[in-house]
């Protein structure tokens, strides 16, 4: 372009996108400007670039779900780079293989990228130091990086990074740059304000639902309410008569009603006359599913852990305990229902999605359209709650199919009812546990049979498992306590109910069984539940460490008023160790109120303690909703609950006081988002027993279970 002037088309493109806030997360610039920018920056890797003004732009390739990667990941880079935090900016990465895995799940954002991002920052730092030494003509060893500049130590001369851009770009990128000693960290381990918060407070933040592109239509999908059902026929006449409705088209998941607004689209969908083929599962219900679980629990099972001889030890035990625990299906229920914008063109496709798996979304779109992946661009927006739901690609698939059918950009929007009826739920499960004690009250035998659907097998088939243990025994087969005889086996019980990954996955339910039953065993042995656990763990156990820390901070053993109780639980998953002590009050009607939760976490090196504390606060709220309030029941092949009346969430006035204590550590970072969930429910259940003498063996906790 002559004179580097933007033409009208380019101006409109930039103005429209910036006006809707999309420029926050996506670089939308004309080709000539991108080329000029490239020549004026130092970009030693895909993770960062520095411009002539010294601004450091860090590319964030994980999705911001509220858990903080847009702050914590740049902290890692900035620490090794010795950057001035005030000069850090971020850009959200589009889906691309060059970033490695972009999947935001499994609490992997920090622990998978800790070393790659440290090396990226360190490599850039070393190149800048070399460039400065060359500019000054001095020994490189006399130079150091410090707060966004290179300093010549003997003379005190400083060269800001921005002035070294061109020189540093000529320095070879070191393959193994020296990393800082953790004792010298000054940014990692601190809590600078979160980069994403100001725009969330002032309303500028762009979530999936906020996305707007020129010429966009809005689509609402009529889907069969029965799992596995499909549209047999439909009459579009009444739908197209609704003002604003433009078109009605069938897609793989149902019938799409397109309009010029979401309101018109939903009104048109309500008017649409559809005849459904409900399929073979129209009579499926929760009672039938439970009966199947019970039957499966009595049959064959595959062993996934066999230490010693549990059957023999149980037969020889002086005291034997048995119990059955049950966990229901649970919805994800994010505040922002599913949505996606797709703009399909003959030569490509552009997508805006609140996705936890943008690379999967890209592959899905490419397969639907018969295009190479490089012809599909996926922009990742902010997400109003994910919890694993947005690991799936169904809402992206719908948007691409509808846009392809109508030849225009389309935003597919889901209602709350859509989101609740068509979730991929946390699996229900049924657990048979047994334990044996000797004459001294020592635990000699542990048996745990898990009966549940398998997410991996249901979604991807038996071949997807490969040589790995089945996912449904996660958190059960890896029992941390030292028991001489352990048997953990599994009976698969798949159903037509769609299931998926829910925050901490099977670790959200198997530890509820482990830690609740362990409390039962401790009381049967006449021992304090904390001391009983300590005796089953070696002195250097990190699980024992968090148990002792949580107990000390909670005042374990101190008296509580009548009607109140204190319970403890701990678990390790996703690379971290967490223990909770819950204090509850139970009224005369059996209603449980959780008043206080004390959390202790050993997650290795803490990158941002404030984010860790926020994550554990959120984990408590999320886990308490499942433990106290919500479940999905099945009637006539469909989810009975369709909104927050039937599926209530924990309210603000029901939130307990939460205290978070972080174990100081220089070990590699572990996960945080998911490890906080597992101990909550059993800690509460154990506290309920301490308050009432009644055992809780199913979720959610019902007042009727505590009366009589």
């Amino acid at each position: 372009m002559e004179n580097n002037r933007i033409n009208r088309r380019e101006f409109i493109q930039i103005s429209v996108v910036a006006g809707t806030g999309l420029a926050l997360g996506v670089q939308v610039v004309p080709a000539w400007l991108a080329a000029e920018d490239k020549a004026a920056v130092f970009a030693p890797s895909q993770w960062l670039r520095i411009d002539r003004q010294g601004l450091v732009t860090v590319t964030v390739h994980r999705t911001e779900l509220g858990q903080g990667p847009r702050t914590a990941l740049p902290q890692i880079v900035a620490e090794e780079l010795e950057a001035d935090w005030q000069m850090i900016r971020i850009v959200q990465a589009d889906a691309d293989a060059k970033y490695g895995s972009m999947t935001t799940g499994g609490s992997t954002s920090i622990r998978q990228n800790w070393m790659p991002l440290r090396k990226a920052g360190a490599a850039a730092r070393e190149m800048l130091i070399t460039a400065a030494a060359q500019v000054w003509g001095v020994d490189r060893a006399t130079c150091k990086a410090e707060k966004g500049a290179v300093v010549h130590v003997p003379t005190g001369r400083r060269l800001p990074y921005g002035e070294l851009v061109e020189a540093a770009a000529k320095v070879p990128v070191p393959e193994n740059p020296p990393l800082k000693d953790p004792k010298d960290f000054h940014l990692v381990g601190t809590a600078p304000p979160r980069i994403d918060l100001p725009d969330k407070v002032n309303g500028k933040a762009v979530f999936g639902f906020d996305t707007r592109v020129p010429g966009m239509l809005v689509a609402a999908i009529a889907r069969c309410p029965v799992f596995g059902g499909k549209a047999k026929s439909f009459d579009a006449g009444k739908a197209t008569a609704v003002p604003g409705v433009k078109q009605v088209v069938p897609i793989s998941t149902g019938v799409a009603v397109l309009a010029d607004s979401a309101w018109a689209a939903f009104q048109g969908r309500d008017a649409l006359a559809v005849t459904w083929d409900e399929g073979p599962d129209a009579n499926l219900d929760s009672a039938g599913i439970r009966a199947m679980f019970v039957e499966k629990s009595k049959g064959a099972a595959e062993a996934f852990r066999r230490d010693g001889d549990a059957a023999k030890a149980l037969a020889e035990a002086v005291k034997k305990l048995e119990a059955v625990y049950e966990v229901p299906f649970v919805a994800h229920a994010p505040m922002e229902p599913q949505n996606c914008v797709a703009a399909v063109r003959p030569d490509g496709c552009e997508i805006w999605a609140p996705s936890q798996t943008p690379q999967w979304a890209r592959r899905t779109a490419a397969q639907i359209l018969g295009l190479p992946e490089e012809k599909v661009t996926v922009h990742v927006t902010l997400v109003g709650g994910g919890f694993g739901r947005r690991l799936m690609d169904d809402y992206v698939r719908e948007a691409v199919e509808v846009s392809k059918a109508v030849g225009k950009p389309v935003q597919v929007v889901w209602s709350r009812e859509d989101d609740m009826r068509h979730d991929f739920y946390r699996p229900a499960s049924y657990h048979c546990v047994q334990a044996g004690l000797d004459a001294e009250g020592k635990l000699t035998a542990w048996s745990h049979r898990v009966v549940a659907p398998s997410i991996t097998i249901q979604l991807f088939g038996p071949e997807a498992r490969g040589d790995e243990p089945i996912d449904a025994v996660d958190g059960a087969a890896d029992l941390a306590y030292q028991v001489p005889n352990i048997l953990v086996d599994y009976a698969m019980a798949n159903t037509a109910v769609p299931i998926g990954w829910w925050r901490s996955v099977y670790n959200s339910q198997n530890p509820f069984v482990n830690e609740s039953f362990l409390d039962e065993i401790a009381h049967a042995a006449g021992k304090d539940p904390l001391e009983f656990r300590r005796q089953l763990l070696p002195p250097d156990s990190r699980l024992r460490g968090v148990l002792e820390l949580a107990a000390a901070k909670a005042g374990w053993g101190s008296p509580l008023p009548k009607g109140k109780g204190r319970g403890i639980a701990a678990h390790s998953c996703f690379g971290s160790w967490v223990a909770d002590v819950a204090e509850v009050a139970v009224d005369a009607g059996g209603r449980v109120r959780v008043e206080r939760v004390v959390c202790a976490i050993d997650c290795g090196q803490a990158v941002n303690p404030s984010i860790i504390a926020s994550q554990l606060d959120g984990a408590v709220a999320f886990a308490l909703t499942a433990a106290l309030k919500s479940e999905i029941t099945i009637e006539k092949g469909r989810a009975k609950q369709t909104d927050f009346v039937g599926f209530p969430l924990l309210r603000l006035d029901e939130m307990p006081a939460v205290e978070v204590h972080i174990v100081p550590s220089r070990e590699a970072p572990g996960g945080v988002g998911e490890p906080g969930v597992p101990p909550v429910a059993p800690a509460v259940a154990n506290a309920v027993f301490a308050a009432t003498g009644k055992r809780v063996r199913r979720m959610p906790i019902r007042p009727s279970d505590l009366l009589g």
Side-chain angles (χ1 to χ4, degrees):
M1 177 180 293
E2 294 183 3
N3 300 321
N4 285 352
R5 296 180 64 185
I6 302 176
N7 65 27
R8 180 177 179 275
R9 177 182 295 273
E10 290 170 324
F11 174 80
I12 291 173
Q13 288 174 338
I14 296 172
S15 299
V16 168
V17 175
T20 60
L22 292 177
L24 255 177
V26 183
Q27 291 179 293
V28 183
V29 294
W32 66 264
L33 187 56
E36 181 182 88
D37 184 55
K38 186 176 180 180
V41 300
F42 167 51
S45 71
Q46 70 270 37
W47 304 114
L48 71 117
R49 65 178 187 268
I50 305 173
D51 68 14
R52 288 174 175 166
Q53 285 70 49
L55 286 174
V56 179
T57 300
V58 177
T59 299
V60 178
H61 66 302
R62 294 299 175 96
T63 304
E64 179 61 77
L65 308 162
Q67 83 284 23
R70 289 191 178 185
T71 301
L73 294 179
Q75 272 185 263
I76 298 169
V77 175
E79 178 67 74
E80 290 289 351
L81 180 60
E82 291 287 355
D84 180 349
W85 183 249
Q86 301 305 314
M87 299 296 282
I88 294 289
R89 302 294 182 269
I90 61 169
V91 62
Q92 181 71 45
D94 292 340
D96 198 309
K98 69 183 179 184
Y99 299 111
S101 172
M102 295 179 69
T103 297
T104 305
S107 295
T108 58
S109 292
I110 297 296
R111 58 193 180 118
Q112 281 187 352
N113 295 291
W114 171 245
M115 289 307 295
L117 293 182
R118 287 187 70 189
K119 289 180 179 178
R125 179 195 69 223
E126 295 301 296
M127 295 167 73
L128 288 159
I129 292 173
T130 297
Q134 292 173 349
V135 169
W136 286 322
V138 300
D139 183 353
R140 187 185 184 286
T142 63
C143 302
K144 69 174 184 178
E146 180 182 88
K147 203 172 184 179
V150 178
V151 179
H152 183 228
V153 177
T155 63
R157 287 180 291 176
R158 297 174 63 87
L159 272 175
Y161 285 170
E163 296 180 21
L164 291 168
V165 162
E166 294 182 13
K170 299 173 184 177
V171 176
V173 180
E175 291 186 9
N176 294 295
L179 301 178
K180 294 175 67 173
D181 189 316
K183 68 179 177 57
D184 297 325
F185 287 164
H186 55 81
L187 186 58
V188 164
T190 68
R194 284 180 53 163
I195 292 173
D196 57 311
L197 284 188
D199 283 349
K200 289 180 177 177
V201 172
N202 64 30
K204 292 181 180 178
V206 179
F207 293 82
F209 256 118
D210 301 321
T211 304
R212 301 291 183 270
V213 300
M216 184 183 83
L217 294 176
V218 181
I221 315 296
R223 305 171 187 85
C224 183
V226 174
F227 305 130
K230 59 184 179 181
K232 184 186 298 182
S233 63
F234 66 93
D235 182 352
K238 291 182 179 179
T240 54
V242 173
V245 171
K246 303 299 183 184
Q247 199 170 348
V248 177
V249 297
I251 61 171
S252 64
T253 57
V255 183
V257 177
L258 293 102
D260 54 15
S261 70
W263 176 254
F266 284 126
Q267 292 294 103
R269 185 182 67 174
D270 290 345
L272 184 68
V274 185
T275 301
W276 299 110
D277 174 1
E278 296 187 344
D281 297 301
N283 294 317
L284 185 70
D285 61 22
S286 290
I289 292 171
R290 184 182 186 277
M292 184 264 286
F293 283 179
V294 172
E295 188 64 26
K296 289 271 188 179
S297 73
K298 301 173 183 176
E302 182 179 0
F304 285 91
R305 181 170 177 181
R306 194 188 297 273
D307 298 352
D309 191 333
K312 182 174 183 292
L314 284 167
E316 296 174 351
V318 172
K319 182 178 287 188
K320 182 178 176 180
L321 289 80
E322 296 183 358
V324 170
Y325 284 80
E326 299 181 62
V327 178
F329 293 105
V330 179
H332 294 82
M335 288 297 100
E336 179 190 25
Q338 312 316 307
N339 64 90
C340 180
V341 172
V344 176
R345 307 179 304 274
D347 62 341
C349 176
E350 194 165 9
I351 294 168
W352 291 262
S355 172
Q356 292 178 245
T357 51
Q359 291 161 323
W360 188 4
R362 191 186 196 199
R363 286 193 298 272
T364 294
Q367 290 167 1
I368 292 170
L369 301 172
L371 292 171
E373 285 190 29
E374 58 267 24
K375 295 292 185 180
V376 177
T377 300
V378 177
H379 307 302
V380 181
T381 69
L382 288 171
V383 181
F387 318 119
R389 174 61 180 91
R390 287 180 164 94
L391 290 167
M392 307 304 294
D393 69 341
D394 53 323
Y395 54 98
V396 176
R397 176 179 294 276
E398 288 182 336
V400 173
E401 288 185 7
V402 178
S403 180
K404 177 184 177 183
V406 301
K408 295 180 180 180
V410 171
Q411 182 181 48
V412 167
V413 294
W414 291 38
S415 67
R416 173 59 54 203
E417 291 76 13
D418 293 334
D419 195 73
M420 204 72 75
R421 287 184 180 126
H422 301 285
D423 199 353
F424 289 82
Y425 307 98
R426 182 184 74 172
S429 57
Y430 185 89
H431 305 258
C432 300
V433 284
Q434 297 176 292
L437 295 167
D438 65 12
E440 298 177 353
K442 293 181 180 178
L443 181 59
T444 58
W446 175 278
S447 176
H448 183 177
R449 173 160 294 184
V450 180
V451 183
S454 163
I455 298 169
T456 298
I457 302 302
Q458 183 166 317
L459 289 177
F460 306 112
E463 65 280 359
R465 173 185 163 190
D467 297 328
E468 297 296 318
I470 201 77
D471 50 0
V473 299
D474 288 348
D478 50 353
L479 185 75
Y481 300 103
Q482 295 182 333
V483 184
N485 302 284
I486 297 177
L487 173 64
V488 179
D489 56 13
Y490 169 64
M492 188 179 299
N494 285 346
T495 75
V497 180
I499 55 174
W501 303 281
W502 189 90
R503 194 174 185 180
S504 79
V505 202
Y506 289 98
N507 286 281
S508 73
Q509 47 192 295
N510 290 333
F512 166 64
V513 181
N514 292 348
E515 291 295 304
S516 298
F517 191 49
L518 200 66
D519 203 75
E520 293 196 46
I521 300 167
H523 283 279
K527 297 183 179 179
D528 174 79
L530 170 62
E531 187 57 32
F532 190 70
R533 286 171 169 81
R534 291 180 73 250
Q535 292 174 1
L536 296 172
L537 295 167
D540 61 350
S541 164
R542 295 172 78 173
L543 192 66
R544 179 170 172 167
V546 292
L547 274 165
E548 293 173 342
L549 177 59
K553 296 296 184 180
W556 183 263
S558 61
L560 288 172
K562 184 179 179 180
K564 296 189 177 185
R566 188 181 286 122
I568 194 166
H571 187 63
S572 172
C573 58
F574 303 100
S576 293
W577 293 257
V578 180
D580 288 347
V581 174
E583 292 180 5
V584 309
V586 183
D587 67 19
R591 289 176 291 271
V592 175
R593 181 176 182 86
V594 182
E595 297 184 334
R596 181 188 184 208
V597 177
V598 178
C599 308
I601 182 170
D602 180 349
C603 57
Q605 173 67 58
V607 172
N608 187 309
S610 177
I611 289 176
I612 293 170
S614 295
Q615 283 283 75
L616 290 175
D617 284 347
V620 169
F622 191 75
L624 284 181
T625 287
L628 299 175
K629 303 178 80 69
S630 302
E631 66 178 320
I632 291 292
T633 55
I634 310 303
E635 286 187 359
K636 297 181 179 179
R638 67 198 78 194
K640 180 180 178 182
Q641 293 75 19
T642 62
D643 53 31
F644 289 139
V645 175
F647 191 91
L649 307 184
L650 195 76
R651 299 194 309 263
L652 185 61
D653 64 348
E654 296 172 316
M655 184 68 185
V658 179
E659 301 171 25
V660 175
H661 302 278
I662 303 170
V663 175
S665 177
R666 295 300 188 192
E667 298 291 333
V672 174
E674 296 178 273
V677 171
V680 176
V684 170
N686 296 337
V688 167
F689 173 78
T692 67
K694 300 286 186 180
R695 280 291 169 197
V696 173
R697 296 194 182 102
R698 63 173 178 166
M699 292 196 282
I701 300 172
R702 301 162 176 83
S704 59
D705 292 343
L706 306 182
L707 300 176

